């Protein structure tokens, strides 16, 4: 083999991201690695010629004092340049490190450095496609790579070197087929990874050893299905006494505390599972709800041989169950638990579609990258569930093309992951699923939950939202135009062009059929454009256009749309579908076996036919079906018409849908509903009524003891202005003033919760302009890039940080320990009266003679308020303050219900200045 490669692994710390704007290096580190061993290290502080910003000091722990005696970069430039000669440059994000270094070389009068580069972010994303995050610290933690001080160049460079070595070791574990396909496609990557893949392939061929851990579909290596653990039945008795429960719990959690409410929950669920009856349990934070239902469920399954179904709302909770709770349960029992996770078919990969896709040439970097990630993932995944894959937004387009959409024609093959999931569920003791999958059973031909002997519905308050989402239809102008663009006509050189060229070359499809399908396509696009033109004209003539907002919302019922122009679209799309299917029929019947590239073209053709079938069904639902039990509204931005048009159709009341699902279930087994928030003062049955639960079914409330909340305190600020009597800008100024005071007193680690994205944005902008929090890292939903979970992770990385969030941050996010010291509620979380879903539901209640404020608006707001408080105290050791800036909680008669909904904690009503003083003395204790 050729001479060993020499890698220079580099990391730098800087005062900012832009050398052209005067940012400078403050630390440089380099590690030389040869034969996968570290042979040299070099690191030095560098004087930046300016003071280091406070947030950089917070991030790196490098202060002005650390660099006071250091030399400027120019004094190190020649040595660093020399160290990089004849090496492959490696960094964790080469775009930043190398470009910054090149700018510094240029400033020091040195020529540009030339050589190969490798980015460990790009490499790790391919080789560890299931990692949640590709930040160096997160990867080091996942892969057990030592990293003493993240964001210090010397430690980061060494960790990056070990990450590179770990990636090499990972490559050598891959099957030869996978390595070959990896190398074949790697030349389109951004950095020089192809050589690394080739070296690994060379080693693999030399060793010529393959493990039996995989099955193969053609040349695709797929992880084998794990053997099913042996089922234990009737071997242990349910632990009725406190002593027995504690003995079990301590096997899995040695430091378990006795929690009477958790034991009460266990006994209650055990009783109702055996009685096959229905029950509702509101279990507050601190009770140990998940183990409270898991333990009796597994004992019931083991003693009776019947499965127990557990349904949750979010995939985050599903993962938490499988990764955290089930292993503890297995330790408690002393043997494996047979558990199956079951989701809808389109959550799983279709291996045959993926194999076809590999035969075609890639259309983009994102597509190449996602194909490589998927190749690796298939050798590792036990589930084939796409939620495990961490792909880019562009990669999602490819994922959507390889989703499972139909069952195999014959027997279920070994490589079919959906078939594996169904098989696992048939042999399982506990089936974990989500609300959407359970609701889908209503319309599924072969119901797969028939054999279940008892149901636990966790996050029960979200079952209503799941039912609404399940029946929701969304029309998007951009989405339709994207579909048209994928097919294209002959000039566009898209799929139709490629298909026609292949069909003519191989004489597979009649010329008249090709002409007809192109004609139908053009008619379909024309009919669609005409319908949208008519639609926009009606919107512009409506009363809604009199409003001054840039973003417009209007109910379709108010627009009085003509139906004929929308019916024309349905007819035109159906005609294209008929002709497109005729093309497919002739293509396949024209030859005994298609060439791989033609197979791929026709797979794509059939995929888009299916998409248009779904689209035309959605079109009819939105534009041609007028149903009183649904609300249908338009959202668009005046600055982008028709591009921004979206139309939403949602059911107003889903009680009947939920009742229809659970009536047959109630007849044969137990149904346990549980959540942390199911009731509100003065309206205990608010959620249970929406779920269609009989009033005779008991609602059991379990509250953690007062000692659990000993570290919590609530303040109500009494001198905030009334938003009705001051301008919005004055109110925002007061909010910004209050937030900055609280943050500076508690030194950050603060959530600020809003009900309006507009108010959030203006408050954050004002705080940034004032520079009163310039020492703090500010993360704002809708402003800072990234998903909700990414914002949360970023927030947790900094001691001095503030997170500004709206609706989705009121619940379902956990910041345990001292990572969160305060939650500020800017406005009581009432839904906006103009929000279309809320408006439609309120009108529906009023038509039935009910008060929409007391029956809908108030209880929804109190539930969100309770959930907002739930972010603060996640364990009995947590300390934190809950601050309400909305004076309505003190001034309005309903305000007492919000306070009553809080756990038993101290609630003080004070002017802002007094509250900040109290906060300071409490916080500094």
């Amino acid at each position: 083999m050729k001479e060993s490669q020499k890698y220079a692994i580099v990391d730098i710390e800087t005062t900012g991201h832009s050398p052209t704007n005067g940012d400078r290096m403050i630390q440089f580190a380099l590690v030389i690695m040869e034969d996968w061993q570290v042979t040299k290290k070099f690191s030095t502080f560098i004087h930046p010629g300016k003071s280091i910003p406070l947030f950089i000091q917070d991030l790196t722990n490098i202060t002005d004092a650390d660099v006071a005696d250091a030399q400027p970069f120019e004094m190190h430039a020649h040595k660093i340049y020399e160290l990089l000669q004849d090496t492959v440059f490696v960094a964790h994000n080469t775009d930043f490190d190398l470009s910054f270094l090149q700018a510094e070389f240029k400033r020091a009068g040195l020529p540009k450095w030339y050589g190969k580069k490798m980015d460990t972010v790009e490499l790790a994303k391919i080789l560890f496609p299931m990692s949640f995050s590709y930040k160096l610290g997160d990867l080091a933690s996942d892969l057990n790579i030592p990293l003493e001080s993240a964001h210090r160049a010397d430690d980061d460079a060494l960790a990056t070197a070990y990450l590179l070595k770990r990636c090499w070791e990972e490559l050598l574990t891959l099957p030869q087929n996978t390595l070959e396909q990896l190398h074949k496609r790697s030349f389109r990557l951004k950095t020089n990874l192809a050589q690394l893949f080739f070296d690994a392939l060379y080693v693999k061929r030399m060793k010529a050893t393959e493990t039996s851990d995989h099955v193969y579909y053609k040349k695709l290596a797929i992880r084998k299905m794990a053997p099913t653990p042996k089922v234990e039945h009737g071997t242990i008795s349910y632990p009725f006494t406190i002593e027995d429960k504690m003995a079990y719990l301590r096997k899995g959690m040695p430091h378990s505390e006795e929690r009477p409410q958790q034991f009460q929950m266990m006994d209650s669920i055990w009783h109702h599972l055996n009685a096959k009856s229905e029950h509702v349990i509101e279990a507050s934070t601190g009770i140990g709800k998940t183990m409270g239902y898991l333990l009796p469920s597994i004992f019931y399954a083991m003693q009776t041989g019947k499965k127990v179904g557990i349904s949750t709302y979010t995939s985050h909770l599903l993962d938490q169950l499988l990764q955290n709770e089930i292993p503890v349960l297995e330790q408690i029992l002393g043997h494996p638990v047979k558990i199956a996770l079951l989701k809808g078919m389109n959550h799983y990969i279709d291996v045959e579609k993926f194999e076809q896709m590999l035969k075609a040439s890639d259309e983009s970097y994102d597509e190449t990258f996602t194909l490589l990630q998927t190749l690796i993932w298939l050798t590792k995944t036990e589930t084939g569930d796409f939620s495990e894959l961490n792909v880019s937004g562009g990669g999602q387009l490819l994922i959507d093309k390889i989703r499972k959409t139909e069952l195999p024609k014959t027997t279920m093959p070994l490589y079919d992951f959906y078939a594996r999931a169904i098989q696992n569920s048939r042999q399982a003791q506990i089936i974990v699923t989500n609300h959407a999958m359970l609701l889908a059973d209503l319309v599924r031909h072969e119901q797969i939950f028939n054999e279940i002997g008892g149901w636990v519905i966790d996050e029960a308050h979200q079952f209503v939202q799941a039912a609404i989402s399940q029946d929701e239809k969304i029309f998007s102008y951009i989405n339709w135009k994207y579909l048209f663009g994928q097919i294209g006509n002959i000039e566009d050189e898209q799929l139709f062009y490629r298909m026609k060229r292949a069909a003519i070359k191989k004489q597979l499809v009649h010329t008249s059929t090709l002409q007809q399908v192109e004609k139908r396509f053009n008619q379909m696009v024309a009919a669609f454009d005409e319908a949208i033109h008519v639609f926009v004209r009606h919107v512009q003539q409506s009363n809604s256009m009199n409003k001054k907002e840039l973003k417009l919302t209007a109910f379709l019922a108010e627009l009085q749309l003509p139906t004929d122009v929308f019916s024309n679209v349905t007819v035109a799309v159906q005609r294209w579908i008929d002709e497109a299917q005729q093309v497919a029929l002739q293509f396949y019947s024209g030859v005994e076996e298609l060439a791989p590239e033609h197979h791929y073209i026709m797979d794509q053709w059939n995929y888009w036919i299916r998409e248009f079938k779904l689209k035309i069904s959605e079109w009819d639902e939105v534009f041609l079906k007028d149903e009183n039990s649904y609300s249908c509204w338009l959202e668009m931005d005046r600055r982008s018409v028709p591009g921004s048009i979206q139309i939403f159709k949602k059911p107003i009341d889903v009680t009947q849908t939920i009742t229809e699902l659970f009536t047959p279930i109630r007849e044969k087994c137990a149904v346990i509903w549980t959540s942390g928030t199911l009731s509100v003062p003065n309206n205990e049955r608010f959620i249970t009524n929406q779920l269609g639960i009989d009033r005779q079914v008991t609602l059991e409330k379990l509250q953690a003891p007062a000692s659990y909340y000993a570290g919590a305190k609530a303040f109500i600020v009494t001198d905030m202005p009334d938003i009705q009597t001051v301008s919005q800008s004055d109110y925002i100024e007061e909010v910004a003033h209050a937030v900055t005071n609280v943050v500076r007193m508690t030194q950050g680690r603060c959530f600020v919760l809003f009900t309006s994205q507009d108010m959030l944005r203006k408050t954050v902008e004002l705080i940034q302009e004032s520079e009163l929090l310039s020492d703090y890292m500010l993360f704002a939903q809708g402003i800072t890039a990234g998903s909700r979970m990414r914002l949360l992770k970023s927030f947790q990385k900094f001691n001095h940080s503030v997170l500004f969030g709206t609706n989705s941050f009121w619940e379902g996010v956990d910041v345990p320990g001292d990572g969160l010291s305060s939650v500020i509620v800017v406005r009581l979380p009432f839904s906006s009266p103009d929000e279309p879903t809320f408006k439609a539901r309120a009108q529906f209640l009023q038509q039935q003679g009910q008060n929409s404020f007391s029956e809908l608006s108030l209880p929804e707001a109190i539930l969100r308020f309770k959930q907002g408080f739930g972010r603060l105290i996640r364990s009995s050791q947590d300390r934190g303050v809950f601050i309400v800036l909305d004076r309505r909680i003190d001034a309005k008669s309903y305000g007492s219900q919000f306070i009553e909904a809080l756990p038993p904690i101290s609630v003080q009503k004070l002017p802002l200045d007094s509250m900040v003083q109290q906060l300071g003395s409490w916080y500094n204790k």
Side-chain angles (χ1 to χ4, degrees):
M1 190 177 170
K2 66 180 180 58
E3 187 182 328
S4 167
Q5 186 64 65
K6 185 177 176 184
Y7 298 102
I9 299 98
V10 171
D11 192 79
I12 62 174
E13 302 302 337
T14 65
T15 59
H17 285 88
S18 175
T20 54
N21 290 342
D23 285 320
R24 294 289 174 259
M25 222 178 278
I26 55 176
Q27 192 184 18
F28 175 88
L30 174 143
V31 172
I32 299 291
M33 186 173 257
E34 298 175 85
D35 282 326
W36 304 109
Q37 300 300 316
V38 173
T39 57
K40 188 181 184 81
K41 294 181 193 175
F42 169 75
S43 74
T44 180
F45 284 124
I46 292 170
H47 198 291
K50 60 192 284 191
S51 62
I52 302 171
L54 287 170
F55 76 92
I56 294 289
Q57 294 188 36
D58 188 24
L59 177 69
T60 62
N61 282 325
I62 300 173
T63 65
D64 288 328
D66 291 321
V67 299
D69 298 326
Q71 294 178 314
F73 180 80
E74 294 88 320
M75 303 301 291
H76 301 285
H78 284 275
K79 180 172 184 179
I80 292 170
Y81 197 89
E82 202 59 43
L83 284 168
L84 292 177
Q85 295 312 303
D86 303 318
T87 67
V88 175
F89 184 97
V90 181
H92 201 67
N93 186 3
T94 51
D95 281 352
F96 173 72
D97 294 81
L98 185 54
S99 61
F100 205 105
L101 196 56
Q102 298 279 33
E104 290 288 73
F105 283 152
K106 184 178 180 182
R107 206 170 55 80
L110 287 169
K112 185 176 181 180
W113 178 84
Y114 286 97
K116 288 183 177 178
K117 62 176 182 175
M118 281 174 43
D119 188 346
T120 50
V121 176
E122 188 174 45
L123 181 58
K125 280 183 175 180
I126 293 169
L127 291 179
F128 305 106
M130 296 151 85
S131 289
F132 178 76
S133 161
Y134 295 101
K135 289 184 175 170
L136 183 61
D138 295 330
L139 283 168
S141 174
D142 288 348
L143 302 171
N144 296 317
I145 292 169
L147 177 56
E148 286 182 28
S149 301
H151 301 291
R152 291 291 288 253
D154 44 358
D155 285 342
D156 280 358
L158 191 57
T160 304
Y162 289 133
L163 172 60
L164 178 65
K165 183 180 180 181
R166 179 71 181 78
C167 287
W168 170 254
E169 290 164 354
E170 188 68 20
L171 276 168
L172 298 182
T173 68
L174 295 174
Q176 187 172 314
N177 279 5
T178 306
L179 280 172
E180 285 168 356
Q181 292 173 86
L182 208 57
H183 179 250
K184 179 183 168 186
R185 273 189 150 76
S186 60
F187 296 95
R188 293 195 62 174
L189 295 174
K190 289 178 180 173
T191 61
N192 305 105
L193 301 181
Q195 185 63 51
L196 191 72
F197 296 159
F198 179 78
D199 290 347
L201 184 57
Y202 180 89
V203 171
K204 197 80 177 176
R205 284 172 176 161
M206 287 295 99
K207 290 184 178 176
T209 55
E210 288 284 4
T211 64
S212 57
D213 298 336
H214 300 94
V215 294
Y216 288 84
Y217 173 67
K218 299 190 176 173
K219 289 190 174 181
L220 268 184
I222 300 155
R223 180 169 172 166
K224 263 188 185 172
M225 192 172 176
T228 307
K230 189 183 171 190
V231 182
E232 303 276 342
H233 285 313
T235 52
I236 48 176
S237 303
Y238 177 76
F240 285 100
T241 68
I242 291 172
E243 292 76 17
D244 287 347
K245 288 186 180 77
M246 287 304 299
Y248 270 119
L249 287 174
R250 282 185 174 145
K251 287 179 185 175
M253 299 175 286
H255 304 295
S256 287
E257 300 170 4
E258 188 179 313
R259 294 195 264 192
Q261 294 85 357
Q262 185 188 51
F263 296 166
Q264 187 180 331
M265 182 178 183
M266 288 176 182
D267 290 343
S268 190
I269 290 176
W270 174 254
H271 165 74
H272 287 283
L273 282 171
N274 282 284
K276 296 182 171 54
S277 52
E278 189 165 12
H279 193 52
V280 184
I281 302 174
E282 181 179 61
S284 76
T285 309
I287 280 174
K289 170 169 60 82
T290 310
M291 199 52 70
Y293 63 67
L294 272 179
L295 205 68
S297 295
I298 190 61
F299 274 96
Y300 178 77
M302 289 172 69
Q303 286 201 6
T304 63
K306 293 177 181 174
K307 307 177 200 310
V308 175
I310 293 168
S311 181
T312 72
Y313 182 55
T314 59
S315 56
H316 172 64
L317 241 167
L318 286 178
D319 296 339
Q320 204 171 300
L321 263 174
L322 293 179
Q323 291 167 18
N324 303 340
E325 313 292 346
I326 298 300
V328 172
L329 190 62
E330 291 181 331
Q331 283 181 299
I332 286 170
L333 297 171
H335 57 74
V337 173
K338 284 205 62 184
I339 186 158
L341 175 62
L342 197 52
K343 296 183 182 179
M345 190 189 296
N346 70 345
H347 285 269
Y348 300 90
I349 185 171
D350 187 317
V351 171
E352 293 180 14
K353 284 183 188 174
F354 179 64
E355 195 273 337
Q356 287 294 334
M357 187 158 273
L358 285 172
K359 293 174 181 173
S361 57
D362 310 345
E363 294 178 5
S364 65
Y365 172 80
D366 278 342
E367 188 162 294
T368 298
F369 200 81
T370 308
L371 284 169
L372 296 182
Q373 286 185 298
T374 309
L375 274 168
I376 302 289
W377 174 62
L378 281 174
T379 68
K380 298 168 185 279
T381 179
E382 292 183 19
T383 67
D385 175 356
F386 282 124
S387 67
E388 295 176 348
L389 253 181
N390 186 347
V391 300
S392 67
Q396 281 298 339
L397 295 172
L398 180 134
I399 295 299
D400 288 340
K401 292 178 186 176
I402 55 174
R403 291 185 185 279
K404 189 92 179 148
T405 52
E406 53 192 348
L407 291 169
K409 306 280 187 293
T410 53
T411 56
M412 300 282 202
L414 285 171
Y415 55 79
D416 190 310
F417 286 100
Y418 182 64
R420 288 186 186 185
I422 298 287
Q423 181 65 20
N424 281 339
S425 70
R426 292 203 173 107
Q427 299 171 347
Q429 295 164 306
I430 289 185
I431 295 179
V432 179
T433 190
N434 54 18
H435 298 344
M437 180 72 173
L438 183 50
L439 281 155
D441 221 36
L442 266 177
V443 293
R444 201 177 276 112
H445 295 304
E446 180 197 353
Q447 293 187 320
I448 55 181
F449 294 128
N450 278 344
E451 300 171 27
I452 288 180
W455 276 102
V456 176
I457 313 297
D458 195 3
E459 296 183 290
H461 68 286
Q462 291 286 17
F463 206 89
V464 174
Q465 184 54 48
I468 290 170
S469 299
Q470 190 82 352
D471 203 7
E472 177 183 46
K473 306 290 185 294
I474 302 173
F475 165 83
S476 158
Y477 175 86
I478 290 289
N479 203 274
W480 273 75
K481 280 295 184 183
Y482 173 74
L483 257 68
F484 294 144
Q486 292 301 302
I487 302 296
N489 54 33
I490 202 71
E491 293 86 28
D492 299 326
E493 297 193 8
Q494 288 296 325
L495 182 59
F496 174 71
Y497 168 81
R498 298 199 301 272
M499 183 277 297
K500 183 177 180 180
R501 201 169 58 171
I504 291 172
K505 185 179 179 183
K506 297 291 181 183
Q507 297 182 329
L508 297 173
V509 182
H510 300 140
T511 308
S512 60
T513 309
L514 292 168
Q515 289 169 344
Q516 186 70 357
V517 78
E518 185 173 15
K519 177 184 168 186
R520 293 300 188 203
F521 176 79
N522 292 329
Q523 288 172 343
M524 170 173 73
V525 174
F528 175 82
D529 288 343
E530 171 62 15
I532 295 300
H533 176 72
V534 170
F535 180 79
V536 170
R537 195 172 69 236
H538 273 75
V539 172
Q540 288 169 339
Q541 291 167 356
S542 73
N543 295 331
S544 307
M545 288 300 279
N546 298 330
K547 296 174 184 173
K548 292 179 181 176
E549 292 92 354
L550 287 171
K551 294 200 173 171
L552 179 70
T553 304
F555 284 101
L556 253 61
E558 298 166 1
L559 300 179
Q560 298 178 330
L561 297 167
T563 56
D564 56 343
V565 72
F566 298 100
S567 300
N568 292 343
V569 176
T570 302
V571 172
V573 176
Q574 190 55 56
R575 282 176 177 163
W576 178 83
I577 289 170
D578 292 342
E579 292 296 338
Q581 288 177 323
Q582 191 60 36
V583 166
L585 202 64
Q586 289 183 23
F587 209 109
Y588 283 117
S589 60
V591 67
E592 281 187 24
E593 181 150 1
L594 287 177
E597 63 272 20
H598 297 156
H599 231 308
Y600 174 72
I601 287 171
M602 291 319 294
D603 275 355
Q604 292 296 292
W605 186 254
N606 288 323
Y607 170 79
W608 292 114
I609 290 174
R610 284 196 301 272
E611 285 297 299
F612 271 104
K613 284 179 179 177
L614 293 172
K615 279 280 169 274
I616 202 58
S617 164
E618 163 206 288
W619 178 274
D620 289 354
E621 286 280 350
V622 169
F623 290 109
L624 298 173
K625 285 188 183 175
D626 184 16
E627 296 163 289
N628 293 332
S629 57
Y630 286 77
S631 62
C632 193
W633 72 93
L634 146 84
E635 290 182 9
M636 76 178 197
D637 190 318
R638 292 171 194 260
R639 295 165 296 186
S640 172
V641 179
S644 63
I645 291 175
Q646 283 190 298
I647 299 168
F648 300 84
K649 184 176 183 179
K650 291 186 181 183
I652 294 168
D653 182 22
V654 290
T655 306
Q656 187 57 44
T657 303
I658 298 170
T659 302
E660 194 182 328
L661 174 65
F662 280 98
T663 297
I665 295 174
R666 287 173 173 129
E667 288 169 3
K668 59 186 180 182
C669 68
V671 181
I672 317 292
W673 305 85
T674 184
S675 170
T677 46
L678 278 174
S679 69
V680 296
N682 300 351
N683 197 342
E684 196 175 69
R685 312 286 302 189
F686 175 63
I687 294 290
T688 58
N689 288 343
Q690 291 179 62
L691 292 168
I693 298 170
D694 194 293
R695 296 191 75 83
Q696 304 301 313
V697 174
T698 310
L699 168 58
E700 184 177 4
K701 293 185 190 178
L702 301 174
Q703 180 76 51
S707 59
Y708 182 81
Y709 301 102
K713 197 173 183 63
F715 290 111
I716 292 166
V717 179
T718 55
D719 59 348
M720 288 294 289
D722 181 348
I723 199 168
Q724 306 295 335
T725 61
V726 297
S727 68
Q728 191 198 46
S729 60
D730 286 349
Y731 187 80
I732 286 169
E733 204 170 302
E734 292 294 333
V735 169
H737 175 63
V739 169
T740 51
N741 272 280
V742 170
V743 169
R744 294 189 77 82
M745 187 56 75
T746 60
Q747 295 175 34
R749 299 191 298 279
C750 173
F751 269 11
V752 188
L753 297 177
F754 291 78
T755 56
S756 153
Q757 181 65 41
D758 182 57
M759 189 179 281
L760 180 154
R761 181 177 53 78
K762 287 174 179 171
T763 304
V764 172
E765 285 172 357
L766 188 59
I767 289 171
Q768 286 172 330
E769 283 169 20
S770 73
E771 297 189 351
L772 288 170
L773 296 181
S774 58
D775 301 357
Y776 292 79
M777 293 297 290
L778 307 184
F779 301 98
Q781 191 177 8
I783 299 173
T784 311
S787 65
R788 181 177 76 146
M789 294 315 288
R790 181 157 293 189
L791 286 184
L792 191 65
K793 279 213 154 203
S794 300
F795 166 78
Q796 289 174 279
K797 280 192 184 310
F798 295 89
N799 288 327
H800 299 91
S801 60
V802 187
L803 197 154
F804 299 82
T806 55
N807 298 347
S808 62
F809 275 97
W810 284 82
E811 68 170 310
V813 291
D814 283 358
V815 185
D818 59 5
L820 182 65
S821 60
S822 59
V823 171
I824 301 174
V825 172
V826 173
R827 300 280 287 156
L828 293 176
F830 286 104
S831 293
S832 164
D834 294 325
E835 195 278 314
T837 310
F838 175 81
K839 194 173 181 179
R841 290 171 71 201
Q843 288 172 356
F844 179 74
L845 286 172
Q846 284 161 356
Q847 287 161 7
Q848 295 180 318
Q850 296 184 58
N851 182 314
S852 62
F853 180 78
S854 60
E855 296 300 316
L856 177 63
S857 186
L858 181 60
E860 273 195 349
I862 293 172
L863 278 174
R864 279 193 212 110
F865 186 75
K866 285 173 73 172
Q867 287 156 357
F869 175 81
R871 302 313 97 221
L872 189 64
I873 302 296
R874 307 304 293 176
S875 79
S876 56
Q877 282 76 47
D878 282 2
R879 291 178 81 236
V881 287
F882 190 65
I883 299 163
V884 183
L885 301 182
D886 191 335
R887 62 182 290 168
R888 288 177 295 178
I889 198 168
D890 186 41
K892 298 287 186 182
S893 58
Y894 56 74
S896 59
Q897 294 184 50
F898 283 91
I899 297 171
E900 198 184 324
L902 292 173
I905 61 170
S906 160
V907 180
Q908 285 183 271
K909 300 178 182 180
L910 294 168
L912 180 64
D913 289 346
S914 306
M915 186 274 288
V916 171
Q917 285 178 3
Q918 285 263 16
L919 187 57
S921 58
W922 176 84
Y923 184 75
N924 290 320
K925 275 182 186 175

